[in-house]
Amino acid sequence: MLVNEKIAIEHGLKSDEYKKICQLLKRTPNITELGIFSAMWNEHCSYKSSRKHLKNLHTQGKRVIQGPGENAGVIDVDDEDAIVFKIESHNHPSFIEPYQGAATGVGGIMRDVFTMGARPIANLNSIHFGSTQHKKTKNLLRGVVKGIGGYGNCIGVPTIGGQTCFDESYNGNILVNAMTLGLVNKKKIFYSKAAGIGKPVIYVGSKTGRDGIHGASMASAVFDDKIEEKKPTVQVGDPFTEKLLLEACLELMADDSIISIQDMGAAGLTSSSIEMASKGKLGIELDLSKVPCREEKMTPYEIMLSESQERMLIVLENGKEENAKKIFDKWDLDFAVIGKTTTSKKIELYFDSKKVADIPIDFLAEDAPEYDRKWKKTKLPQKIKFKKENFKSLKINNCLIKLLSNPNICEKKWIWNQYDHTVMGDTIQKPGGDAGVVRIHGTEKAVAASVDSSATYCFAHPLTGGKQVVCESWRNLISVGAEPIAITNCLNFGNPEKEKNMGEFVECVQGISEACKYLDFPVVSGNVSFYNETKDKGIKPTPSIGGVGLLKNYKNILTMDLKNEGNVILAIGKTEGHIDQSVFARSILNEKKGPPPEINLFNEKNNGSTVMKLMKEKLILSCRDVSLGGILIAIAKMCIKGKKGVKLNKLKSLINKFEFFFSEDQGRYIIEVSKKNLKKVENILKENSVHFDNLGEVQKDNYINIDSEKISVDELSKHNKNWLMEYMAQ
Amino acid sequence: MKSAVIIFPGSNCDRDMDVALKKFGFKNEMVWHDDEQLPKSDLIVLPGGFSYGDYLRCGSIAGKSKIIKSVIDFAAKGGLVLGICNGFQILTETGLLPGVLQQNKNIEFICKNVFVKVNNKNNKYFNSIDKDVLELHIAHNEGNYFCTNDELKMLKDNNLIAVSYCNEKGEVNEKSNPNGALQNIAGIFNKEKNILGMMPHPERMIDKYLSGEDGSIFFKNLINNIK
């Protein structure tokens, strides 16, 4: 087939991008070459709209072993141990085919982690769906949850946490972000950079089929009416093969035969081979006739662009082929030597002894387009002046019930009961806590992980929202007793060619960066998903932050369930009564405008560090951070989990009780402290200039007492637990 | 005491079982599905997971694997064979235990703690366990036990229903049935009671910081009974 501009545009390239390709090559590319360019130059692989801004992220830290740019980030967790982790989006495919889309998202992120030599030890996810009233939501939710479970359960990696949100902005574009943590010996980390000349390039794993061709290009475009036609671009996963691939790779990694290894994810063989060569500043030569194919008569074009799952590309030391093959034979996986590294700094492809592509690697990687797209700042919205009448007819009890059964606050047991969260025998904190916690196998240490997003805040003011998500993640880790270490981010946004969307991206990234720097909480990996837009309607800006922290001894884990009657409940951090953009304002007062709560990074850090100090002194008995719904929702959840009640003191605050209890001011925690230790705790808080309020006492009877109102915890628990189950059963 | 855990391609609770067995004093060895010989053992365990991807039917391909012949011989000589979750499914596929495990009634994977009632203590697995009700953990998509009327009668007449799903108080009723299993059956013996297949995972309940410790009771008791 002769290539022309029209065909290039059908491949998602812009007219001037095509011209640049012809200029670089000094000729017209053939169809295979065009396919390769389109795969490498699309947004998903090239980060052409985001690269400029991602450079500003804070990526350094004393525990960082590997920052962004590899298959995943790596952090030091003492002794010989390191944690490899990353979050990645699989949004577009999951909307088209929820089960396979979500399943292969999980499969892909796990491969990114075990490619580096780490055994996956925990999965998490952040999933966003349209309004609960939207006709597609229920099926999409059901399919995505089944897909995530179907893949993770089969491999035998526990899914220990996650986040589920509903908002009408996702009606036409759901988000499926999957995160994996793996454990590796610090000295046995594998990287994707190829080295050495004439080294064999090995293909292992499943056979290549026609599935997923142009998957990465699809993820780089907006949806229109014809999305059903894109079903064939969704890959089909086989977790069983991935389990075999995982075991085989880890077995091969036990000795030193691997020089570099890269999973075939987005843009399959194309991006994996080019990335290896590019990082090693080498050339690569492949004979595509040797690639194991599942279907007949596959063309070089199809082989290079297939996104069939469960495949890896390995550069081996010479002479190690036979031993490596034995391992893959044992696990019943394909193994083929398909090429070698060269000095040419080109990718040279052969098929049936004919040369079918010849492109300098730099053209595909370093010379890929980079855009400085125009963007618009979002002004901080005016604060809403709430009047007395707004609160007049409200009752705390009714508000509590309404908020606890809000789709974004209610318990998500329906979801996580479908995920195996206990396999591998190290899960200390199951889903449903502030963060999931898994023990580092065979040690006293444990890692905590959580995933957070707050699109509502990011939409109202991206800069504040970006900071807030990082802070929320930091707080969630502290709340289970962990020292926060680093984050991975999945940046889900609309169409970057629109100034507003691009502005949301730029300012969220700026906010993330500021908070990360201040909290010494660096970004070590992540991905960007643009074009989450259907028929001109984009999603709210949704950066998902996956945070990871360390517990030196898992026995010191903190949980949120209230422990004993008579203990005192303190709110750490100042409650200003900011209800704009809170769930309370949005769902009870029906007010959707206003600025998000302000982030004061000094207070955030000071409050968090002081809470950590109290923990080290073993002064905290239970803990929860204050997030959606405010103080009273946090307390209600602590009551529900602990099957206890509380008697709350009369408020001394200047703001009204609704503002006090339901505002979403940041940097706050609720802690339970024994009376015996109260003085000591108060002194430490005062010494560190941390504001706190003594809220009341834990009591045995199962009620929340506020003034004259007596609210049954059992009743609240029922509403909190039942909402999602009833919704899904309808 | 010696034990062996068989690894099929797709097994994923093999390591957990190895950890549990060793914790309570077994000298455990891992055996690859493609081997023909079992090591000399007092106990053979078929672990949980998705053997051969659970393609065709859960456990069906594993039921035809090379090592299984030796397991059948071992069992025929009275050797103890324990199948947990996928292991239970494999045991029914080999015919060592009657019945089948169908997809859960709610057609969803279920992962949670459950209570089971120990129905028969006159065997190596549950002899001298004080408790009548154990809190264990399930994680499966196909745990809905079913068998013919004749088979059920045989199981009942011989007191071979090892454990039944129940509530905290030991009441066996529909509410305490997580997956639709016939008569709340969570695990069964063969006639000689040397083979036990059950869906719940005792190996996930061996630490108070994790799900709980009733699995510890099971393993401690098992090794004492073998000694």
Side-chain angles (χ1 to χ4, degrees):
Chain A
M1 192 199 284
L2 278 176
V3 170
N4 56 34
E5 188 175 320
K6 187 170 162 266
I7 295 172
I9 287 168
E10 280 165 14
H11 277 73
L13 289 160
K14 306 278 177 216
S15 170
D16 39 348
E17 289 175 347
Y18 175 66
K19 280 188 195 117
K20 190 177 169 189
I21 292 170
C22 296
Q23 265 168 23
L24 283 169
L25 288 175
K26 299 195 178 79
R27 62 178 166 85
T28 308
N30 66 32
I31 188 71
T32 306
E33 291 170 331
L34 180 75
I36 292 171
F37 269 104
S38 78
M40 291 306 293
W41 281 19
N42 66 41
E43 190 65 58
H44 192 86
C45 293
S46 73
Y47 292 86
K48 60 189 169 191
S49 304
S50 57
R51 227 186 307 161
K52 175 178 155 49
H53 304 281
L54 295 176
K55 283 176 196 155
N56 299 328
L57 284 173
H58 174 67
T59 59
Q60 307 290 317
K62 59 180 190 303
R63 284 185 181 272
V64 176
I65 295 176
Q66 174 67 52
E70 260 298 333
N71 280 305
V74 188
I75 53 170
D76 188 329
V77 289
D78 297 338
D79 313 312
E80 297 284 283
D81 303 319
I83 295 291
V84 176
F85 69 102
K86 189 183 179 185
I87 190 166
E88 202 164 67
S89 61
H90 229 219
N91 306 337
H92 292 77
S94 301
F95 185 75
I96 299 173
E97 219 302 280
Y99 183 94
Q100 290 299 344
T104 52
V106 175
I109 193 64
M110 278 199 274
R111 274 197 308 285
D112 276 335
V113 166
F114 72 76
T115 302
M116 301 197 70
R119 179 175 285 282
I121 56 168
N123 284 332
L124 294 96
N125 56 75
S126 165
I127 49 182
H128 290 69
F129 298 90
S131 150
T132 53
Q133 305 303 318
H134 191 269
K135 62 179 193 298
K136 279 198 162 179
T137 298
K138 220 176 275 180
N139 278 339
L140 288 169
L141 174 61
R142 188 172 278 124
V144 165
V145 169
K146 260 197 190 298
I148 291 174
Y151 211 102
N153 297 349
C154 180
I155 300 261
V157 174
T159 301
I160 60 163
Q163 177 210 26
T164 311
C165 299
F166 300 91
D167 183 285
E168 60 183 17
S169 85
Y170 308 106
N171 281 353
N173 292 81
I174 61 169
L175 302 183
V176 174
N177 297 173
M179 173 175 171
T180 296
L181 279 73
L183 174 66
V184 69
N185 182 313
K186 254 184 241 176
K187 292 179 191 136
K188 296 286 276 176
I189 301 171
F190 290 83
Y191 296 97
S192 60
K193 180 182 163 183
I197 313 296
K199 305 287 178 192
V201 177
I202 316 285
Y203 171 114
V204 297
S206 286
K207 289 183 174 25
T208 296
R210 290 195 169 91
D211 49 333
I213 292 177
H214 289 310
S217 308
M218 170 190 70
S220 306
V222 298
F223 282 156
D224 52 27
D225 282 330
K226 296 182 195 151
I227 53 165
E228 286 293 317
E229 290 173 13
K230 291 189 173 163
K231 254 193 189 162
T233 59
V234 177
Q235 312 86 334
V236 177
D238 175 12
F240 171 58
T241 304
E242 176 130 322
K243 168 74 175 163
L244 304 182
L245 188 61
L246 161 70
E247 299 301 338
C249 286
L250 292 182
E251 202 171 314
L252 179 60
M253 285 160 168
D255 70 17
D256 48 7
S257 37
I258 295 179
I259 298 172
S260 95
I261 174 165
Q262 172 84 32
D263 88 290
M264 292 190 223
L269 189 51
T270 296
S271 87
S272 54
S273 57
I274 291 166
E275 266 178 52
M276 282 173 137
S278 165
K279 284 187 180 142
K281 303 210 177 308
L282 294 169
I284 195 163
E285 189 185 295
L286 303 177
D287 181 356
L288 300 180
S289 332
K290 293 194 176 139
V291 171
C293 287
R294 196 194 311 145
E295 294 171 64
E296 279 178 23
K297 293 192 177 147
M298 285 188 66
T299 63
Y301 173 91
E302 289 170 325
I303 292 169
M304 287 307 285
L305 294 184
S306 159
E307 288 191 8
S308 290
Q309 299 289 292
E310 294 93 25
R311 302 178 300 159
M312 292 274 194
L313 201 63
I314 301 174
V315 177
L316 271 190
E317 278 297 353
N318 297 100
K320 301 279 187 179
E321 297 92 323
E322 203 171 315
N323 181 43
K325 186 172 185 309
K326 247 187 230 158
I327 293 173
F328 285 87
D329 282 349
K330 171 185 159 191
W331 291 98
D332 271 330
L333 292 164
D334 269 295
F335 177 99
V337 180
I338 63 166
K340 59 174 193 265
T341 56
T342 65
T343 52
S344 69
K345 296 196 181 172
K346 290 200 287 191
I347 177 163
E348 293 167 285
L349 304 178
Y350 293 85
F351 190 66
D352 284 344
S353 316
K354 269 188 266 167
K355 198 170 207 176
V356 292
D358 186 344
I359 312 171
I361 301 277
D362 278 353
F363 292 1
L364 296 162
E366 307 220 323
D367 294 330
E370 179 175 337
Y371 295 124
D372 183 3
R373 295 199 189 275
K374 285 197 179 132
W375 60 275
K376 215 165 74 192
K377 236 180 152 72
T378 306
K379 269 212 306 227
L380 189 69
Q382 280 240 301
K383 211 159 170 346
I384 306 291
K385 290 196 180 87
F386 292 97
K387 296 188 191 107
K388 260 195 184 154
E389 299 93 85
N390 292 112
F391 306 101
K392 215 169 164 188
S393 57
L394 297 179
K395 273 206 146 45
I396 294 275
N397 188 8
N398 298 345
C399 293
L400 259 180
I401 288 175
K402 195 152 183 205
L403 291 176
L404 284 168
S405 53
N406 177 290
N408 292 330
I409 291 180
C410 73
E411 192 185 69
K412 304 298 190 303
K413 207 176 202 163
W414 181 87
I415 295 173
W416 47 262
N417 266 357
Q418 298 185 54
Y419 301 151
D420 192 333
H421 46 264
T422 51
V423 64
M424 295 187 90
D426 286 311
T427 307
I428 309 281
Q429 173 64 57
K430 297 177 187 175
D434 275 334
V437 180
V438 284
R439 187 167 52 186
I440 295 181
H441 195 67
T443 73
E444 286 198 321
K445 295 181 289 186
V447 279
S450 80
V451 199
D452 298 286
S453 74
S454 36
T456 308
Y457 296 167
C458 290
F459 183 66
H461 193 241
L463 184 64
T464 311
K467 287 188 221 171
Q468 193 275 341
V469 208
V470 175
C471 294
E472 167 97 43
S473 172
W474 148 275
R475 247 176 272 144
N476 277 332
L477 297 172
I478 291 176
S479 301
V480 295
E483 168 205 337
I485 297 180
I487 65 167
T488 177
N489 59 19
C490 191
L491 306 169
N492 309 281
F493 289 82
N495 182 349
E497 294 161 46
K498 291 183 179 169
E499 287 180 28
K500 182 174 175 358
N501 292 342
M502 191 62 207
E504 290 169 345
F505 174 80
V506 173
E507 293 198 278
C508 275
V509 169
Q510 211 177 318
I512 290 171
S513 194
E514 267 179 50
C516 285
K517 200 175 252 172
Y518 198 92
L519 299 174
D520 189 17
F521 197 29
V523 181
V524 295
S525 58
N527 97 315
V528 180
S529 170
F530 278 129
Y531 297 101
N532 291 289
E533 180 176 299
T534 298
K535 288 188 259 174
D536 218 31
K537 255 188 103 75
I539 58 160
K540 286 181 179 168
T542 315
S544 304
I545 300 289
V548 175
L550 175 68
L551 283 101
K552 294 215 162 125
N553 189 328
Y554 69 86
K555 289 177 182 158
N556 297 335
I557 185 175
L558 278 179
T559 54
M560 67 166 89
D561 48 306
L562 292 175
K563 301 295 183 301
N564 280 310
E565 55 178 308
N567 288 341
V568 180
I569 295 169
L570 301 182
I572 306 292
K574 183 138 202 235
T575 301
E576 309 271 5
H578 184 106
I579 55 174
D580 309 52
Q581 295 300 344
S582 66
V583 187
F584 174 76
R586 299 172 67 82
S587 68
I588 292 176
L589 302 178
N590 218 2
E591 175 58 72
K592 302 201 160 71
K593 295 205 187 78
E598 198 190 323
I599 297 290
N600 178 321
L601 288 172
F602 174 82
N603 286 344
E604 188 70 57
K605 189 171 186 175
N606 191 34
N607 295 357
S609 311
T610 311
V611 169
M612 281 194 269
K613 247 179 232 165
L614 295 173
M615 283 172 185
K616 279 198 187 114
E617 306 259 336
K618 300 213 161 74
L619 296 168
I620 300 182
L621 298 164
S622 66
C623 180
R624 178 171 171 82
D625 82 308
V626 178
S627 59
L628 290 189
I631 284 184
L632 205 51
I633 292 299
I635 292 177
K637 286 200 176 176
M638 293 170 86
C639 288
I640 291 170
K641 288 258 174 184
K643 298 195 171 82
K644 300 219 161 36
V646 287
K647 182 163 178 30
L648 297 179
N649 302 333
K650 238 189 160 38
L651 291 183
K652 287 179 215 148
S653 178
L654 293 170
I655 49 181
N656 75 44
K657 61 181 174 188
F658 297 97
E659 289 171 319
F660 186 84
F661 284 132
F662 299 121
S663 62
E664 293 179 8
D665 297 297
Q666 298 294 299
R668 295 181 301 161
Y669 303 78
I670 304 292
I671 61 171
E672 177 187 355
V673 171
S674 72
K675 271 196 185 133
K676 169 175 81 136
N677 287 328
L678 183 61
K679 202 82 230 141
K680 205 167 163 191
V681 169
E682 287 180 343
N683 285 339
I684 294 176
L685 291 168
K686 280 178 197 158
E687 275 164 30
N688 288 282
S689 318
V690 172
H691 179 97
F692 65 94
D693 293 302
N694 186 327
L695 297 180
E697 257 182 37
V698 182
Q699 58 178 19
K700 199 173 170 191
D701 84 343
N702 239 339
Y703 287 91
I704 297 178
N705 291 291
I706 305 172
D707 299 337
S708 54
E709 273 192 78
K710 193 172 173 188
I711 303 161
S712 156
V713 172
D714 290 339
E715 180 77 12
L716 295 178
S717 172
K718 211 178 72 198
H719 285 280
N720 188 233
K721 290 193 165 128
N722 290 355
W723 187 87
L724 187 58
M725 289 200 209
E726 284 167 7
Y727 170 71
M728 291 311 294
Q730 278 162 24
Chain B
M1 292 299 108
K2 284 187 182 155
S3 60
V5 173
I6 297 176
I7 308 177
F8 300 97
S11 293
N12 65 25
C13 302
D14 43 327
R15 186 189 78 176
D16 303 356
M17 186 53 82
D18 180 55
V19 168
L21 290 167
K22 284 176 180 159
K23 180 170 180 176
F24 298 100
F26 282 95
K27 259 195 162 157
N28 187 53
E29 219 176 296
M30 306 304 269
V31 179
W32 184 238
H33 72 110
D34 216 21
D35 293 350
E36 279 173 24
Q37 289 286 317
L38 287 171
K40 205 173 146 7
S41 320
D42 304 291
L43 169 74
I44 300 294
V45 185
L46 308 184
F50 293 68
S51 55
Y52 301 89
D54 274 351
Y55 292 136
L56 196 58
R57 266 189 327 270
C58 296
S60 72
I61 306 177
K64 305 274 180 294
S65 63
K66 228 184 214 175
I67 194 73
I68 279 296
K69 282 193 203 91
S70 313
V71 175
I72 294 172
D73 290 346
F74 178 81
K77 288 182 200 135
L80 295 183
V81 177
L82 170 64
I84 301 295
C85 198
N86 195 227
F88 184 14
Q89 294 162 346
I90 295 168
L91 288 172
T92 62
E93 283 289 339
T94 56
L96 287 172
L97 292 174
V100 290
L101 291 139
Q102 313 180 113
Q103 189 175 29
N104 298 339
K105 201 174 163 192
N106 68 353
I107 59 165
E108 280 159 15
F109 188 97
I110 306 168
C111 179
K112 64 175 188 182
N113 279 13
V114 293
F115 292 98
V116 293
K117 190 175 174 202
V118 180
N119 297 316
N120 183 343
K121 292 188 181 174
N122 187 17
N123 55 75
K124 290 258 164 70
Y125 296 97
F126 297 104
N127 187 17
S128 52
I129 283 186
D130 295 336
K131 282 186 166 180
D132 293 327
V133 175
L134 296 176
E135 187 178 14
L136 296 177
H137 195 78
I138 56 167
H140 59 242
N141 199 49
E142 285 89 3
N144 177 359
Y145 184 80
F146 187 76
C147 63
T148 63
N149 286 337
D150 289 349
E151 284 167 334
L152 184 64
K153 186 171 181 301
M154 187 277 294
L155 288 174
K156 282 184 156 174
D157 289 350
N158 296 288
N159 198 7
L160 301 178
I161 300 176
V163 279
S164 319
Y165 299 111
C166 63
N167 61 19
E168 208 168 344
K169 291 179 206 143
E171 295 158 354
V172 177
N173 52 36
E174 204 174 317
K175 240 188 128 187
S176 59
N177 186 340
N179 53 24
L182 184 68
Q183 306 223 341
N184 288 38
I185 291 175
I188 56 171
F189 295 116
N190 64 337
K191 262 193 182 148
E192 292 72 29
K193 286 179 289 209
N194 59 320
I195 306 177
L196 168 64
M198 63 176 182
M199 290 314 294
H201 292 265
E203 78 278 14
R204 296 196 194 181
M205 301 291 277
I206 55 167
D207 193 321
K208 68 172 176 177
Y209 285 92
L210 276 74
S211 299
E213 283 197 294
D214 280 4
S216 310
I217 300 175
F218 176 83
F219 287 108
K220 271 184 207 159
N221 183 64
L222 180 56
I223 193 160
N224 283 335
N225 289 338
I226 296 177
K227 270 176 193 166

